[in-house]
Amino acid sequence: MKIVVIAIGDELLLGQVIDTNSGSIARMIDPAGWSIEWVKVIHDDAEAITEAVDEAFAAADVVLTTGGLGPTKDDITKLTLCNYFGGEMVFDPSVLENIKDVFSRRGIKLNALTEGQAMVPSSCRVIQNRVGTAPIMWFERPDGKVLVSMPGVPFETVQMFESQVFPQLLEKFHSDEHIAHRCVIVEGLTESKVAMELDEWEDALPDFVHLAYLPKPGIIRLRLDGRHADGELLESTLNRLHGELCQRFADHLLADADLTPEEALLQRLRAHGYTVAAAESCTGGNIAHRITALAGCSDCYLGSVVSYANSVKTNILSVDPATIEARGVVSEEVAAQMAEGVRRAIGADCSMATSGIAGPTGATPGKPVGTVCIAISTPARTISATYHFPGTRDRVIDRATTTALTLLAMTLKK
């Protein structure tokens, strides 16, 4: 099933707000074999909304709109959709009660402007928004095509789409076809290198299986997607193909499932019964952020030291000042001492350390912007290496973080 997403809001086109809803929706519908045909971002304008809805219905059976449902005068989506589908604006007491409940839970006093959100088109079926005040509206055409209008606030859209909207869409557009996925994560190889390795293998895939290349800086997700009326045949085929992928890339296999580098690292740490810490200079706490964003990480992750200043490196992590003087703060020797120092200071079994030049300034002779020294330390050994990452400051920090997490995960695997 293909759907179209229309993101409505002047703030999106002005760059003040980024549309994250379409990406969240795409990730939620993917396991069911649904996909987004295209996304269109438009102004809060009645003519633009009408034209976009016409275009969307010509391309898909399901249209999702996000945004334009607030209580202010510039939010005109509700009235425009009423004019499009017919009917009139009517007061819905159940919507008002839901709004009162939301405000009560937040400890906010209800005002007349927000009460006006209880006015909805008579041509829609309301899905109560349990986490916000803008009602979700389900419109259905005589030919069975559906438009669902949702709020633009990301956490409202994500929660309500996952819990209410998508289950109802799946029920209406039910399919007996079986859908399954398998994923492996490969590190240390370019996308072209992987594609060359899999050229003949990919050509021999059954016609009901598709291989997708989903690269990110430092890693490549290889995802097998299958659809077939025979569920047992589909599962056995994907299991076989998944095993073949794992065997082909055994030396570069970060994970045999759809895991992030930090998830793969925690999995390896738990398998060994190890704890971990980090000493971060150029990454500024990003390693800690990536790990602590995962629920349950406290069984492995102990803490970090953001050792941005040299004094922190020497006083807290016991980095030898003579090494900094001789080799420079961005050096494999300093990174190794940082990794070993944070292990001792925090009492962890394993550690990671980063020291580099994220830019846009700070380059020195022989050490251009993007130079990062990364070290990992385990009970068995300490490893340190120098990398050169292209791009902006944010990109260098992100790539260095991924590399540190991946390096430790792969070392523990070996």
Side-chain angles (χ1 to χ4, degrees):
M1 176 64 67
K2 294 180 179 180
I3 69 174
V4 166
V5 176
I6 303 171
I8 303 168
D10 293 340
E11 67 278 7
L12 297 170
L13 293 169
L14 292 172
Q16 296 173 339
V17 176
I18 297 174
D19 168 38
T20 60
N21 287 325
S22 56
S24 298
I25 290 169
R27 287 188 290 273
M28 285 186 280
I29 67 177
D30 177 74
W34 290 36
S35 62
I36 293 179
E37 183 72 1
W38 46 260
V39 177
K40 190 167 190 175
V41 182
I42 61 174
H43 285 289
D44 287 293
D45 177 81
E47 184 177 353
I49 294 171
T50 300
E51 290 179 355
V53 172
D54 279 338
E55 186 181 0
F57 273 134
D61 291 329
V62 176
V63 179
L64 303 176
T65 70
T66 64
L69 299 180
T72 55
K73 292 181 180 179
D74 61 333
D75 289 311
I76 61 170
T77 299
K78 188 187 296 183
L79 181 59
T80 302
L81 293 177
C82 181
N83 293 332
Y84 186 92
F85 287 96
E88 58 184 354
M89 298 297 292
V90 297
F91 173 73
D92 188 326
S94 67
V95 175
L96 180 59
E97 287 304 309
N98 183 71
I99 294 172
K100 288 180 178 179
D101 179 62
V102 171
F103 268 54
S104 175
R105 283 185 273 117
R106 295 178 181 176
I108 304 174
K109 185 178 180 180
L110 185 63
N111 58 48
L113 193 61
T114 304
E115 285 183 2
Q117 291 190 292
M119 298 294 293
V120 298
S122 60
S123 49
C124 81
R125 173 171 66 85
V126 170
I127 299 174
Q128 298 295 350
N129 182 358
R130 302 303 183 188
V131 291
T133 60
I136 296 166
M137 298 173 293
W138 176 295
F139 297 88
E140 191 161 335
R141 300 197 330 179
D143 62 1
K145 293 189 176 186
V146 169
L147 182 147
V148 183
S149 177
M150 299 181 293
V153 181
F155 88 90
E156 294 182 24
T157 299
V158 169
Q159 289 193 38
M160 292 307 300
F161 184 80
E162 183 175 29
S163 65
Q164 295 292 327
V165 176
F166 193 38
Q168 294 184 40
L169 287 171
L170 286 171
E171 184 177 353
K172 175 174 174 57
F173 297 97
H174 175 71
S175 172
D176 292 328
E177 190 174 45
H178 294 273
I179 298 166
H181 311 276
R182 298 291 186 277
C183 190
V184 300
I185 311 298
V186 176
E187 62 81 38
L189 296 173
T190 64
E191 185 179 6
S192 59
K193 175 68 174 177
V194 172
M196 290 173 62
E197 170 66 25
L198 293 177
D199 185 31
E200 294 183 4
W201 184 86
E202 192 173 356
D203 287 341
L205 288 175
D207 58 7
F208 57 89
V209 176
H210 170 71
L211 176 66
Y213 295 77
L214 305 168
K216 285 186 176 181
I219 61 173
I220 301 173
R221 294 170 61 216
L222 295 174
R223 194 183 70 179
L224 291 163
D225 301 311
R227 308 167 69 100
H228 202 282
D230 187 334
E232 291 186 5
L233 173 63
L234 178 61
E235 290 293 328
S236 63
T237 301
L238 286 186
N239 286 340
R240 173 179 60 80
L241 295 172
H242 177 259
E244 291 174 2
L245 279 179
C246 291
Q247 185 174 4
R248 278 176 174 264
F249 297 106
D251 293 339
H252 296 274
L253 188 65
L254 177 62
D256 60 3
D258 194 2
L259 303 179
T260 62
E262 50 269 32
E263 287 172 330
L265 173 58
L266 289 183
Q267 187 180 78
R268 302 264 165 79
L269 289 166
R270 288 173 180 136
H272 286 278
Y274 286 162
T275 56
V276 70
E280 303 189 57
S281 185
C282 65
T283 49
N286 199 47
I287 292 174
H289 167 69
R290 293 263 293 265
I291 293 175
T292 56
L294 301 175
C297 67
S298 59
D299 62 344
C300 297
Y301 176 70
L302 299 186
S304 293
V305 175
V306 180
S307 53
Y308 211 66
N310 286 353
S311 59
V312 178
K313 294 180 177 70
T314 57
N315 294 335
I316 305 298
L317 301 179
S318 301
V319 175
D320 187 351
T323 305
I324 295 177
E325 180 67 25
R327 306 300 298 174
V329 69
V330 180
S331 64
E332 294 178 14
E333 292 83 358
V334 167
Q337 290 183 28
M338 288 170 62
E340 292 171 348
V342 79
R343 278 186 67 200
R344 290 192 299 268
I346 293 182
D349 298 304
C350 304
S351 64
M352 296 162 280
T354 60
S355 183
I357 306 166
T361 60
T364 60
K367 295 178 182 179
V369 169
T371 302
V372 182
C373 294
I374 298 174
I376 60 100
S377 186
T378 71
R381 56 179 171 162
T382 298
I383 300 171
S384 188
T386 301
Y387 300 85
H388 299 280
F389 302 128
T392 63
R393 182 178 182 86
D394 287 346
R395 188 175 177 86
V396 171
I397 291 172
D398 182 65
R399 185 68 183 272
T401 300
T402 295
T403 301
L405 294 164
T406 301
L407 181 61
L408 181 54
M410 293 300 290
T411 301
L412 292 176
K413 173 187 173 185
K414 296 172 184 177

